Amino acid sequence: MTEDRRVAVIGLGYVGLPLAISFVEAGLSVDGIDAFAGRVAELNAGTSPIDDVGDERLQAALRDGLRICSPAETDLAAADAIFVCVPTPITTTKDPDLAPVLSAAETIRAGLRKGQMVVLQSTTFPGTTTGPFREVLERSGLRAGVDFDLAFAPERVNPGDPASASKAIPRLVGATTPDATKRAAALLRNINDNVVELSSPDAAELAKLLENVFRNVNIAFVNQLALLCERMGLDVWEVINAAATKPFGFMRFTPGPGVGGHCIPVDPYYLAWRAREFDFIDRFIELAGDINFAMPRHVVDLVAEALNDRGKALKGAKVGVLGVAFKPNVRDARNSPAADVIAGIAERGADVRFHDPHVDAFRDAVGTQREGTPLDELLGWADAIVVVTAHAAIDWGRVYDQASLVVDTVNSSRGHRTTDRQVLRLGAGWSTGA
Ligand SMILES: NC(=O)c1ccc[n+]([C@@H]2O[C@H](COP(=O)([O-])OP(=O)(O)OC[C@H]3O[C@@H](n4cnc5c(N)ncnc54)[C@H](O)[C@@H]3O)[C@@H](O)[C@H]2O)c1
C-alpha cells in the first residue's frame, strides 16, 4: 500500500480546520479549501474562527506549510486523499440538505484521478457516501473501489471540550472495499491512536447518527422528567444527581431550554428521513424532537409565571437573557434555543435584551438582529433575568446578588445563596431561600 502524504480538506469549520491542522502537525502536506471567501481570508491572516483552535496554533500550521484557498484556486489532482467536512443542514421542513456535500463532490470530480482516496466526514444518513456522493464523483468516468477509494469517517469533536480532540478518542472508518478501509485507517492513524475499521461506509454513517440520536433522545427524556417534576413539586436536579450515583447502567443527562448547535437538533432528521424510505417511522426521533423543540416555549411560560408572582405581566416587562450560545463556554450560537426564547418573549410584548461574554450580536428566531448588553447594565435594567446558557465567564455570584427575579433553566443557581421566591428553576420550582 502506498503511503498517502498529501491531503486536501474541503470545508474549514469546526471539523475541517482542526483536521487540516492535525495533519500538518503530523508532518503531512495539507491544502485547506473553503468556499467562503471571508473564511479563506481570515485563516490566511492567521485568525481562527474556531473556539478550540487558537490563533497561535493556526499560525504555526501556516508557517509549516498549510495552504488555504478557495475551490477555484485548488489543485486537487495533486492530493493523495481528499477529506470533505462541509455542513449537512436540514431544510425548514427538516429534510436533509445535501447541497454543500454534493457541491464539494463536484469540486473533487473536476480533478479526480486514478489512485486518489475521497473521505466524507460530514454527518449524514446511511447511503450518502455510496449513493449521491459517489454518483457525482463517478460522473468523472472513474469508479469507486476500482479507480479511486471512497470512505466515510465521522468526526467526534465536541467544541468547548478539548478532551474530545484528543488523539486517544477512537474514530471510525468504513470504505467501499476492505483495502480502502485499511488505507483510510492508515492515513487517520497519523493523527489518531485508535482507529476502528468498519465493514462499510453505511455502518460508519449510522454509527455516527446513533451517537447523536442517543443524546437527543436522552435529553428529551430528562426534559420530560423536568416537566413532570415541576408538577410533582420535586427537584429534577436532585433526582438526576441521585440516580447518577449508580456507577453502572445509568448515564447522566440534564434538562434545559432546548437543544442547539449543528448536530443534536439536525442530525436525527437525517436518519428519520432515510428511515421513511424503508416504510419505517422512527418514533423516538419524532418524539424527542417534539419535546426538545417545545422547551423554549416552556421557558417563555416560566418567565410569565415568574413575573406573575410579582404581580407583573410579561407584556411590557423588561427581560434579560443570559447566554445565547447553544452551550456553555463556546461562541457558537447556531440553532440556539435562545433564538426561540427571545423571539417568544418579544412576541408576548416584553422588551428583551441579552448578555453573552462570547457572543456580541445575535439574530433571534424571527430574524431580529440584537446587540449584547453588558452584564451590569442588564442586571440593573431587567425586571426578570432568564438563564439560557451558563458560561463559566459569567459572574454568577453577581447575578444572584443583584437580580431580584431569575428564571434558571440550567441550574446555574446551584451553590449560590438565593432568597425566597427569587429564583424559579426549570424542573424544580421556586427557591425557598435556603
Ligand atoms: N461542529 C461539530 O461539533 C461537529 C461534530 C461532529 C460532526 N460535525 C459534522 O461535520 C460537518 C461540518 O460541520 P462544521 O461544524 O465543521 O461546519 P462549519 O459550518 O463550521 O464549517 C463548514 C465549512 O465548510 C465551508 N463550505 C460549505 N460548503 C462548501 C463547499 N461546497 N466547498 C468548500 N467549502 C464549503 C463553509 O464555508 C464552512 O467554512 C457537518 O456535517 C457536521 O454535522 C460537526
Side-chain angles (χ1 to χ4, degrees), residues 10-11 13-15 34-36 39 86 88 103 122-123 157 159 262 334:
I10 302 182
Y14 284 87
V15 167
D34 202 286
F36 176 43
R39 176 63 47 101
V86 298
T88 41
S103 150
S122 304
T123 307
V157 70
H262 192 311
R334 292 177 296 179

Side-chain angles (χ1 to χ4, degrees), residues 25-70:
E25 291 167 348
L28 279 75
S29 167
V30 183
D31 284 13
I33 297 137
D34 202 286
F36 176 43
R39 176 63 47 101
V40 172
E42 71 179 331
L43 292 175
N44 274 323
T47 308
S48 169
I50 308 299
D51 291 300
D52 297 332
V53 176
D55 290 350
E56 282 163 23
R57 190 174 167 215
L58 168 63
Q59 288 160 13
L62 290 167
R63 279 197 300 276
D64 290 342
L66 174 61
R67 292 171 298 277
I68 292 173
C69 64
S70 71

